[in-house]
Amino acid sequence: MNDAPDPTCLSYRLQQARRTALSASVLNGASVALGMLLIALLMRGVFGASAASSASVGAIVALIPDMPRARRGKFVHLIVAPLLGVPLFLAVQLLRGHPVELGLLLVPATFLAFLSTAWGRPGMPVAAGLMFAMLLAMAPQPAGSVHEALLRTGWCALGAALYVVWATASNAVLNERYRAQTLAELLLTVAALLRTHGARIVRMPAGGPQDRAMRPGMLGEVLRRQAALAEQMQAARDLILETPDTPRRQRLAGMLVVVLEMRDRLIASELDIERVQASHAASLEQLAALSRTMAADVERVADALLSGTAAPLAQDHRAALQALRRQAREEALGHPGQAEAMRQAALLHSVCVRLGDQDSAVRQLAALARGEQSPDLSAVRSGWQLFVSPAYWSRQPLLGLWRWRQPALRHALRAALAIGTGYGLALLLPWGSRDYWILLTIVVVLRGSLAQTLERRNQRVLGTLAGSALAVGLLALQPPVAVLLLVVVLAQGLAHAFVVRRYVVTAVAGSVLGLVLAHLLSASSSPAFDFAERVGDTLLGTALAWGFSYVLPSWERARIALTVRRVCRAMAMHARQSLALATLAEVTGQPELAWRLARREAYDALSALVQATDRALAEPRAVQPPIALLEQLQGHGYQLLGQLSAVQSILLLRRQRLRLEAIAAPLADAAREMESRLDLAQPSPRAAPPVDAAGSSGPAMSAVPEDLPDPSVADSSPWLLRRLALAVALADEVRGDAQAVLRACL
């Protein structure tokens, strides 16, 4: 049985195309295109074609930050780029006929614009909006007078203002739909992880040294998927957890909470699989098939959310898992006196139990989607504000920016130098009147890291070649202005919809947009020359962006120490909060809220480390951080998350099968040991004594994890104590890996 659908199959491609068409990004792109179309038609009908072209520039400046997001803070998020960009548009209009003075404006303005990247993801669209305001203002012929410059700026400001109003209103109208679409896309990512987990089940059955060479690559794939999921999770939180005050919103929020638990159980499900012997390959294949079936159930729920139809019931796999557990037990009893047979039975029992927890979560997800179960939002309802990104602009990123090693400061300096160099070269070229295209290419290609720049470089060149050819062919037909405005609108919608999903589509649409809009702003050149000019400008701008990636670089090696320390702190807090769950008579309210926040930070920190390592792979070998050590740290951190997730599942799902008086002291000791080991500021603590099944220190558990509890015993306390011992040992591994990375980065 295949682990995943065949991506070359026509039905699979059609299904993926349907999901893309129904996604939040495409709906947002359609909203952007419709808003821009209405503004262009209104301005052209009332003020004429020239006013419509300038207003389109203002709309472009305002629409760049327009993404699906919560209603709270949407207007504030949108208004920043127009407020700062319109004065820059005017300044360029006034200085367009004075090349030297214009260059003296572009360089410092670029530096200030790129400082907004200090705010991270929310600040990047602002930087792009400010740059587009300046560079698109260079497209038309210089204004003949101050009055004409002011008039163009007025049209630009009016277009931006109209678009901000449109985007705020459309976001409020589409908010409910965005919530469902965002959750659906999150579910599709979780389903892909379930399929990956199924593949891992059957690819690492033996646990011997001969298999270990295969595991780092497989684990790397899982870690990258988990990192992407963590980023996607935050976008979903921002939308879905905002004021869950209606039954539908509460149901979606409840489904999001279940997805968070499913992520934990996915990681916990990885435990012990690699130690099951190859003689149980048939059982492992059944478990892999169950994982794939659950992935299909999750995908059907996601498709129902996208299409607005009723979700189907999820399959119940309890009987199949019970049969596997019974089969493993019977095989062990058939070999009396063989400790290894009993150990294998216990391992299979453990894997089946955790996969059963996942099966329960999938069925709960489907029941919530169908409205057959009430969501449990006891913690989220009272503290949803703690899980969403701030809706305001804090001064703190700007105050902490002025240090030489700050990546945002270096990126701003790098961008300013690249723009200054590009502008200077453009003045020397025979097509200097189209200098803005070189600068636009630099802006869209030059990223904060070399890896991102290289990715954008290739896609930008390919997209420009295709898009410029399309635009030249269109302009050669000499269509009416109304048709060209419609093309601008459609191209903008496509470029906006795919900027994150598939940038090459954005590059194609952006090239069409730029050429056609430039023709509308200043129809004074032939399409054939525009094509050759755009290709030359794109190649030059791309080369400059690539070259300046090595100027004042912010190599990952210089920042990796902060990320490593963050991982250790987050893991320590997560361990403390997870083990504290045993003290709760009922897991609700503030203690659960603290645990959920600590869990989020642990995942986010490990994901940041995975992403930093991936970016470092594109850097020159001489400046790379210790990649092998980082991958080892990621692997041990991932395993520690799995052990903590397994502990949390035992505490919450099998609470009635625990002897709380026996586990209270070991839980407290384990939490203290893990915090001590993960505190890099303290000297290395002594090794912790082993913990026996009765809850006391001693030699009984010295063979952990080889000495496994009897799976037929109803008491889950020995399984919990085993998990605690493994978690403490992994905390030691994480500390050792972290210290090795820090030493190598000195």
Side-chain angles (χ1 to χ4, degrees):
M1 185 181 294
N2 293 331
D3 293 327
D6 182 5
T8 63
C9 176
L10 177 60
S11 61
Y12 174 78
R13 290 183 175 181
L14 290 175
Q15 183 185 56
Q16 294 302 107
R18 176 180 175 274
R19 287 170 177 169
T20 298
L22 294 174
S23 66
S25 58
V26 171
L27 178 61
N28 178 237
S31 171
V32 165
L34 180 58
M36 193 170 176
L37 176 63
L38 293 175
I39 292 169
L41 291 177
L42 175 64
M43 295 296 294
R44 186 173 188 275
V46 178
F47 301 107
S50 177
S53 299
S54 295
S56 296
V57 174
I60 289 172
V61 172
L63 65 81
I64 293 176
D66 183 15
M67 296 290 179
R69 58 173 292 131
R71 294 168 302 174
R72 187 175 66 112
K74 176 71 174 183
F75 178 82
V76 173
H77 188 73
L78 287 170
I79 199 64
V80 174
L83 283 178
L84 299 176
V86 169
L88 290 174
F89 182 93
L90 174 61
V92 172
Q93 288 290 313
L94 295 174
L95 296 176
R96 189 65 178 106
H98 307 278
V100 175
E101 289 82 353
L102 179 57
L104 294 176
L105 169 70
L106 288 174
V107 172
T110 298
F111 172 74
L112 294 174
F114 273 85
L115 285 181
S116 61
T117 60
W119 279 268
R121 187 172 293 274
M124 294 176 186
V126 175
L130 299 185
M131 294 305 300
F132 272 58
M134 288 192 296
L135 301 182
L136 290 178
M138 297 168 63
Q141 293 296 320
S145 63
V146 174
H147 177 267
E148 185 180 355
L150 290 172
L151 191 61
R152 289 178 181 178
T153 305
W155 302 141
C156 176
L158 182 57
L162 289 173
Y163 187 82
V164 168
V165 173
W166 164 264
T168 304
S170 66
N171 185 73
V173 171
L174 298 175
N175 185 263
E176 298 293 331
R177 181 62 181 156
Y178 283 153
R179 292 177 188 239
Q181 290 171 314
T182 302
L183 180 59
E185 292 173 42
L186 186 65
L187 290 177
L188 291 174
T189 303
V190 172
L193 266 172
L194 274 167
R195 292 189 186 278
T196 302
H197 171 66
R200 281 171 61 79
I201 288 177
V202 294
R203 289 179 191 166
M204 53 181 196
Q210 68 273 16
D211 299 312
R212 298 189 191 279
M214 174 171 57
R215 289 177 199 152
M218 295 172 62
L219 182 58
E221 177 189 357
V222 173
L223 287 170
R224 284 188 289 273
R225 287 185 180 273
Q226 287 282 357
L229 180 62
E231 191 171 328
Q232 206 174 349
M233 283 278 192
Q234 189 54 55
R237 288 188 189 100
D238 291 343
L239 258 174
I240 298 170
L241 296 184
E242 183 195 27
T243 56
D245 52 2
T246 67
R248 174 174 171 75
R249 292 178 186 175
Q250 289 173 1
R251 189 164 69 248
L252 293 175
M255 292 173 68
L256 177 60
V257 171
V258 172
V259 171
L260 293 170
E261 309 308 326
M262 288 178 65
R263 177 182 61 177
D264 277 3
R265 290 163 189 168
L266 267 171
I267 294 179
S269 296
E270 299 276 343
L271 304 176
D272 296 336
I273 290 174
E274 62 182 41
R275 299 174 58 242
V276 178
Q277 290 184 352
S279 58
H280 290 278
S283 298
L284 290 174
E285 177 55 46
Q286 292 182 60
L287 292 173
L290 291 177
S291 184
R292 293 191 292 266
T293 303
M294 283 187 266
D297 285 335
V298 173
E299 286 176 340
R300 282 190 283 271
V301 174
D303 287 334
L305 286 173
L306 288 175
S307 62
T309 58
L313 284 170
Q315 298 183 55
D316 189 341
H317 302 295
R318 283 177 290 187
L321 290 167
Q322 180 62 34
L324 282 172
R325 290 196 296 267
R326 185 169 55 250
Q327 178 184 343
R329 177 69 177 169
E330 290 172 354
E331 288 180 7
L333 294 176
H335 300 82
Q338 293 188 17
E340 181 60 27
M342 182 59 72
R343 187 170 76 91
Q344 289 295 307
L347 286 170
L348 273 175
H349 176 274
S350 174
V351 172
C352 288
V353 166
R354 288 194 298 277
L355 201 60
D357 293 339
Q358 193 71 278
D359 173 52
S360 176
V362 172
R363 286 185 282 108
Q364 183 185 6
L365 188 69
L368 284 168
R370 293 168 58 85
E372 297 172 353
Q373 185 172 333
S374 299
D376 181 12
L377 299 175
S378 53
V380 173
R381 186 180 289 112
S382 60
W384 66 267
Q385 297 95 334
L386 299 176
F387 292 94
V388 301
S389 303
Y392 56 88
W393 295 94
S394 170
R395 292 178 297 173
Q396 192 57 42
L398 190 60
L399 295 177
L401 183 65
W402 306 104
R403 293 193 297 272
W404 181 242
R405 290 292 178 184
Q406 273 291 336
L409 177 63
R410 287 178 159 239
H411 186 43
L413 288 168
R414 187 184 312 126
L417 291 173
I419 289 293
T421 303
Y423 181 70
L425 287 175
L427 293 179
L428 301 177
L429 295 175
W431 54 83
S433 60
R434 296 293 181 266
D435 46 9
Y436 65 92
W437 193 261
I438 297 175
L439 307 185
L440 278 173
T441 301
I442 293 173
V443 168
V444 299
V445 173
L446 185 60
R447 303 284 96 185
S449 71
L450 179 62
Q452 295 167 327
T453 299
L454 293 177
E455 182 182 9
R456 283 288 179 94
R457 176 197 66 184
N458 300 335
Q459 294 177 338
R460 177 69 177 178
V461 171
L462 177 63
T464 298
L465 290 173
S468 297
L470 288 173
V472 167
L474 174 67
L475 293 174
L477 298 176
Q478 298 182 348
V481 173
V483 173
L484 294 179
L485 282 173
L486 180 61
V487 169
V488 166
V489 167
L490 293 176
Q492 179 61 71
L494 279 173
H496 195 82
F498 289 92
V499 66
V500 175
R501 185 178 292 270
R502 194 169 183 183
Y503 182 75
V504 68
V505 177
T506 294
V508 172
S511 296
V512 173
L513 169 68
L515 279 172
V516 176
L517 185 58
H519 180 79
L520 289 171
L521 290 169
S522 178
S524 60
S525 59
S526 69
F529 183 69
D530 274 343
F531 175 74
E533 176 185 322
R534 290 305 171 268
V535 172
D537 288 346
T538 297
L539 293 175
L540 179 57
T542 300
L544 286 171
W546 180 22
F548 274 91
S549 295
Y550 296 90
V551 176
L552 299 175
S554 298
W555 302 127
E556 295 299 330
R557 187 185 191 95
R559 296 180 285 175
I560 210 76
L562 294 175
T563 309
V564 167
R565 290 190 173 92
R566 179 189 174 192
V567 168
C568 290
R569 287 195 304 269
M571 290 289 185
M573 179 60 70
H574 182 36
R576 177 153 60 102
Q577 295 296 338
S578 295
L579 303 189
L581 293 176
T583 64
L584 306 178
E586 182 182 2
V587 185
T588 57
Q590 199 64 29
E592 186 188 2
L593 193 64
W595 160 61
R596 290 186 184 278
L597 290 169
R599 179 182 64 176
R600 182 186 68 173
E601 172 59 15
Y603 279 103
D604 289 350
L606 188 59
S607 297
L609 184 65
V610 172
Q611 292 168 344
T613 305
D614 282 348
R615 291 194 298 268
L617 289 172
E619 296 178 349
R621 189 176 298 274
V623 297
Q624 282 183 355
I627 301 295
L629 289 175
L630 284 169
E631 290 176 343
Q632 185 171 297
L633 173 58
Q634 293 166 24
H636 285 139
Y638 182 74
Q639 292 169 4
L640 179 55
L641 277 179
Q643 296 294 349
L644 292 174
S645 298
V647 169
Q648 170 255 328
S649 293
I650 295 173
L651 292 174
L652 299 185
L653 302 180
R654 280 169 280 283
R655 192 178 187 83
Q656 302 305 318
R657 300 176 60 182
L658 294 173
R659 291 180 291 123
L660 295 179
E661 70 284 355
I663 65 171
L667 279 168
D669 291 343
R672 187 165 49 252
E673 290 287 346
M674 278 188 275
E675 282 197 90
S676 175
R677 280 161 170 70
L678 293 170
D679 186 355
L680 299 181
Q682 295 184 8
S684 299
R686 62 181 178 83
V691 183
D692 67 16
S696 60
S697 298
M701 293 286 283
S702 59
V704 168
E706 282 70 27
D707 292 348
L708 296 172
D710 189 335
S712 63
V713 177
D715 184 13
S716 294
S717 300
W719 290 96
L720 176 66
L721 295 175
R722 173 175 177 265
R723 293 294 172 207
L724 291 177
L726 291 168
V728 171
L730 279 168
D732 251 341
E733 298 283 356
V734 170
R735 179 189 178 92
D737 295 338
Q739 289 177 327
V741 171
L742 294 177
R743 285 194 298 269
C745 288
L746 290 177

